[in-house]
Amino acid sequence: MKWLEEELKELKKKNLYRELRTLSSPQGKEITVNGKRVLNFSSNDYLSLASNFNCECLKQWGSGSGASRLVCGNFEIHELLEEKLAEIKKTESALLFSTGYMANVGVISTLAREGDLILSDELNHASIIDGCRLSKATVKVYSHCNVEELEFLLSKERGKYRNCFIVTDSVFSMDGDIAPLSELFRLKEEYDAVLIIDDAHATGVVGWSSLELFDLTPDERTVIVGTLGKALGTFGAFVAGPRVLREYLVNRCRSFIFTTALPPHIACQTLENLKLVPERMRVLQEKIEFFRKLTGINSNSAIFPFLTGSEIKALELAKGLWEKGFFVPAIRPPTVKESRLRITINYEHSKEDLEKLWKILKELL
Ligand SMILES: *Cc1c(COP(=O)(O)O)cnc(C)c1O
């Protein structure tokens, strides 16, 4: 496999080489990474629920699910959680998936077929992109949050296709900005399309659902994908939408059917964590507001991008912060076009933590 070595050397030369870091503590505001205790500004565990646990969940349900949902891995606790998730998203139903990656790949490739049209924001998550690729539908990518361009594409192209899907992150994972959901909601009506919203970084951060921000309620043309591994602190994901969608996915969605069900104790722990969300979310939102005012970085979520101009600069700043005891990751291509530090705020961060981070970052500059 000599060619792999060559390609890795090339990545190193371009400052695009990646390495795994190793945690030897639970997730949280402070973590031990590669043997060093650091203040954590890198996780998606926005509400510090990843380190929460209730042993009763494990005691009651054991460690595994033993089969796929359709064989003998469908537990009543899965269904209880699904009802709760449908309630928070204000949809008729929800269906659990083992990961958000599988939920996006599954729902998009199951719904969209040859002869259909998918319109996708250029900054959508990789799992959305892969779902589009797998679907055999025609995919057109519109510039980030550009409603005019999207409407132009719809008016020009919609008539040539059978079904049409508009798909977008609600909170964009590397930029922290929010999709223009009011306009997208209107366009899906006007052009007879289905809107698929990925709420991975919105659930439990901006509200129970991103649609709340716009006073919108999901209807029969709305699909919401959510994850359990971010603010909700556990693992797994779900698709929320009309009852007929759930029924169809159970029958046809390959990434739902051909995989082992989420372990039931995780569903149980997620229900436990959900009880803590409202209070912690309120605190998190205060911290977000404080950090936005402090830094002037324009974000409406817990994700604050700090653009660095080059790969090397991002790496240098991340290294400088690391040496001072702050873990802020450098994010580089191909994950993003423009290299950056990606600062994520956690409900446990104190105002002093946030001020210290910003002060040291400015000194390093
Ligand atoms: C993290 C993420 C996913 C994938 O979810 P996992 O459960 O981690 O597989 C999907 N979409 C977006 C926008 C994400 O940030």
Side-chain angles (χ1 to χ4, degrees), residues 49 91 176-177 244 284 320 338 348:
L49 287 168
T91 55
D177 58 336
V244 63
L284 174 67
E338 297 172 276
E348 277 187 295

Side-chain angles (χ1 to χ4, degrees), residues 154-169:
L154 281 164
S155 63
K156 192 160 118 306
E157 302 287 339
R158 175 67 187 97
K160 303 179 195 161
Y161 297 91
R162 189 184 44 204
N163 293 322
C164 176
F165 303 87
I166 302 169
V167 54
T168 185
D169 283 17

